[in-house]
Amino acid sequence: MDTKKFDIPADKAEALVEVVRFIGGQNWSPATGGNYSLRLDNFHCLITQSSKDKRNLQTSDLMVCNFNNQALDPTLKPSAETALHTKLYQLDSEIGCVLHTHSVPATVLSRSVSEQVRIHGFEMQKALYGNTSHTETVCVSVFDNNQDIPALAKEVERKWQQGNINQPGLLVRGHGLYAWGRDVFEARRHVEGFEFLFSCLWQERLAGGMLL
Amino acid sequence: MDTKKFDIPADKAEALVEVVRFIGGQNWSPATGGNYSLRLDNFHCLITQSSKDKRNLQTSDLMVCNFNNQALDPTLKPSAETALHTKLYQLDSEIGCVLHTHSVPATVLSRSVSEQVRIHGFEMQKALYGNTSHTETVCVSVFDNNQDIPALAKEVERKWQQGNINQPGLLVRGHGLYAWGRDVFEARRHVEGFEFLFSCLWQERLAGGMLL
Amino acid sequence: MDTKKFDIPADKAEALVEVVRFIGGQNWSPATGGNYSLRLDNFHCLITQSSKDKRNLQTSDLMVCNFNNQALDPTLKPSAETALHTKLYQLDSEIGCVLHTHSVPATVLSRSVSEQVRIHGFEMQKALYGNTSHTETVCVSVFDNNQDIPALAKEVERKWQQGNINQPGLLVRGHGLYAWGRDVFEARRHVEGFEFLFSCLWQERLAGGMLL
Amino acid sequence: MDTKKFDIPADKAEALVEVVRFIGGQNWSPATGGNYSLRLDNFHCLITQSSKDKRNLQTSDLMVCNFNNQALDPTLKPSAETALHTKLYQLDSEIGCVLHTHSVPATVLSRSVSEQVRIHGFEMQKALYGNTSHTETVCVSVFDNNQDIPALAKEVERKWQQGNINQPGLLVRGHGLYAWGRDVFEARRHVEGFEFLFSCLWQERLAGGMLL
């Protein structure tokens, strides 16, 4: 680990690297895109440096940021999107990991709906924490993309406090998925579940059969 | 093998793990979903524990259940869907392996039909035991999904005894495929054959050309 | 090599195995389907035994057949489709390798046309021997599937002798592609070229824009 | 390195081989198609020999050409498309790497538009050098395919000098993508970004929702 002034347990860094490589291998994080983080304590997270190839991430490609989005190692500059990760960690102390992917189905689906994606009748809904039946309806909030990440983070905070983010993920339009979980393993299951569901919904849209 | 009170031949455990990893690698079992089992005798099967990553399954992720869906190792809790596996083993003593996958094509196709998927004119039909020509019509039964697995198992039993399940697989709507065979190799061939056929049918549906 | 009574150069067996594994890895030969062969002399070819997993083929999964479709090792039974391979070797002494794949795009495309697939305007046409420009039109013959392989082989022979097979491949409806070349490397390039072109044509069909 | 009369830094050859293998593994360079090069100085580039399998490229599959498209090793014959690579190196001394891929989405998309592909509202636009927001519109020029590569290169030069090529890539209709960057890593990011965007646009076209 290059990250200075912070003792990072190697197993946490390796767990984050492993999930990012998996996500890279699924083509959900092309062109060095995407950001991936893991909570270290109530003030810090471990996060991927920007511009790194996610298919072959190394633990030395990680950095430590505090929740004011400052790198502990002053030679490193965090990605602008760090602010959305740290906002989520502050909104819910149970969140232990945030994974932000860029897949084709999530991107095109997010551009084909207005404020939410509604998901109903899929067994895979149960992959998302808190859902126990395909008979429920899962609503995933869709936010307009914004290059002003603090403004986007504020918008997420507003919706969260209104109680309108009740799934472990959200979409940014034309951009991708943010999914989270209590640990790396749950966050990964959520990414896989969401990506599966988005692929299904997109296929049904192509067939003319999706009601959004 | 963690599984206690039962001597499991290592080759059986390894054969099951190998097919599950293959299926995981095809993205047919995402988000820890799916269940995979192998008959040990007339009263027991080896089955995957739930919540395990199927892409990287280990033999220690398997457990032994009896056909009353009880784990022999009391520290392990079988997946609810075990009941469908054990029902199939009891319905037909020739069934040696049951593979339950979650693929995008099987999921969306199962939501686009009512009670059955009809397949006609494909050479691949011959991958399914008992079919010798593309000129036959293969009918795959589709069951409504149900979180009450014993009720779903009873429904499968009812259709089976009416003689209405005459292919080595069935679909659960919005959920996935159950396929079986006399051994792991045949069950895998059936999964591959069904998944290929479902992909073709879905593509034809997108083209507006499928008659279901 | 298990194959008796015939001295097979190991490099030929390995070259065939390598191309079959590549094809298997592309999901162009699922459920143990497909047949792959290589000419040994004017009377014999090396061919895959049926029912073998093509993703992980071994040289011991190959056998030697003569052009009367008889195995040199009497304990082995050749696949019925061997007759189409041997017919092609007899029709053209330049053919050194025949590869028969089962892909989703080839299968659904072959079911959506009548007697031929017409391909025009693609640079990839140049991957097919004898084509030097995207401005030409490539016509691939489509044969109705037939479980009577000698009858199908005769039909291929008839069209060949009429001069109506002038590309290094043909489609069998609802079944798959037969492609060939002077050696394994050319045959593989033809498979890759055809599969690419079929994928493009199918995508254009889904978009409503293909003129067949 | 087989390449004579030129001292090539091994790290450059290996970096080019690595990106080509990655591209091959993505199925963006099937049937030995595609050409990949890297600037060595103001007069020479390292470029892939034609007819090599791009999924398993070796450094010995590379050759050195000067910007008159002549191989330094007289026993090697450069691909006809070398002329487009060397034209780009001469048009812009900042270009350090040119990657020419053949993907299904790029191919079909290029056939479905007239003179340009317009891209708007995607975060992934920022993967392309010089773009900083999804609110901009990226226009990718599409050239008619031409077997006369010097004529095509001249056409590219004409558009370049008119200032009409302002993204780090262009499409050749029915043929594929040329993308470039200051080094191998940037050129690769551009290929990944373009291919992602083309996949999205094609999906939206299938859904009937793309405005081109």
Side-chain angles (χ1 to χ4, degrees), chain C residues 43-197:
Chain C
F43 308 98
H44 300 90
C45 65
L46 192 62
I47 192 164
T48 46
Q49 295 171 36
S50 60
S51 308
K52 301 293 177 181
D53 180 18
K54 301 309 189 292
R55 290 184 188 82
N56 190 27
L57 200 78
Q58 310 294 325
T59 54
S60 57
D61 296 332
L62 302 175
M63 65 190 295
V64 178
C65 278
N66 64 27
F67 290 173
N68 293 321
N69 309 313
Q70 293 160 323
L72 264 63
D73 177 345
T75 67
L76 297 173
K77 197 178 154 294
S79 156
E81 294 190 53
T82 300
L84 237 162
H85 290 249
T86 57
K87 177 62 77 185
L88 288 161
Y89 289 122
Q90 290 172 90
L91 285 170
D92 184 349
S93 64
E94 294 249 310
I95 295 178
C97 178
V98 178
L99 305 174
H100 167 43
T101 54
H102 292 177
S103 78
V104 168
T107 300
V108 295
L109 186 68
S110 70
R111 285 165 54 98
S112 74
V113 297
S114 53
E115 287 188 27
Q116 57 181 14
V117 172
R118 292 170 63 86
I119 306 173
H120 179 80
F122 291 92
E123 179 74 7
M124 188 60 77
Q125 297 170 210
K126 290 166 61 187
L128 308 176
Y129 176 79
N131 296 282
T132 58
S133 171
H134 64 288
T135 59
E136 297 162 13
T137 297
V138 165
C139 294
V140 184
S141 292
V142 183
F143 292 82
D144 285 330
N145 196 12
N146 195 337
Q147 296 306 321
D148 179 348
I149 301 294
L152 181 54
K154 196 150 239 155
E155 189 62 22
V156 168
E157 183 173 30
R158 200 178 59 82
K159 269 223 169 155
W160 185 287
Q161 286 167 348
Q162 292 172 343
N164 284 327
I165 299 182
N166 33 45
Q167 296 297 332
L170 60 86
L171 281 166
V172 183
R173 196 183 318 286
H175 184 153
L177 168 70
Y178 277 84
W180 51 86
R182 288 168 294 180
D183 54 32
V184 172
F185 308 102
E186 189 178 77
R188 171 179 163 165
R189 195 185 73 224
H190 290 160
V191 167
E192 290 192 60
F194 279 123
E195 293 289 354
F196 178 92
L197 291 164

Side-chain angles (χ1 to χ4, degrees), chain A residues 29-64:
Chain A
S29 201
T32 79
N35 307 91
Y36 305 91
S37 70
L38 181 149
R39 175 195 291 271
L40 292 172
D41 59 26
N42 285 334
F43 308 98
H44 300 89
C45 65
L46 192 63
I47 191 163
T48 47
Q49 296 172 34
S50 61
S51 309
K52 301 294 178 180
D53 179 18
K54 302 308 189 293
R55 289 183 188 83
N56 190 27
L57 199 78
Q58 311 295 325
T59 53
S60 57
D61 296 332
L62 302 174
M63 66 189 295
V64 178

Side-chain angles (χ1 to χ4, degrees), chain D residues 191-203:
Chain D
V191 167
E192 291 192 60
F194 279 123
E195 292 290 353
F196 177 92
L197 291 163
F198 296 158
S199 288
C200 287
L201 291 179
W202 184 254
Q203 287 300 311

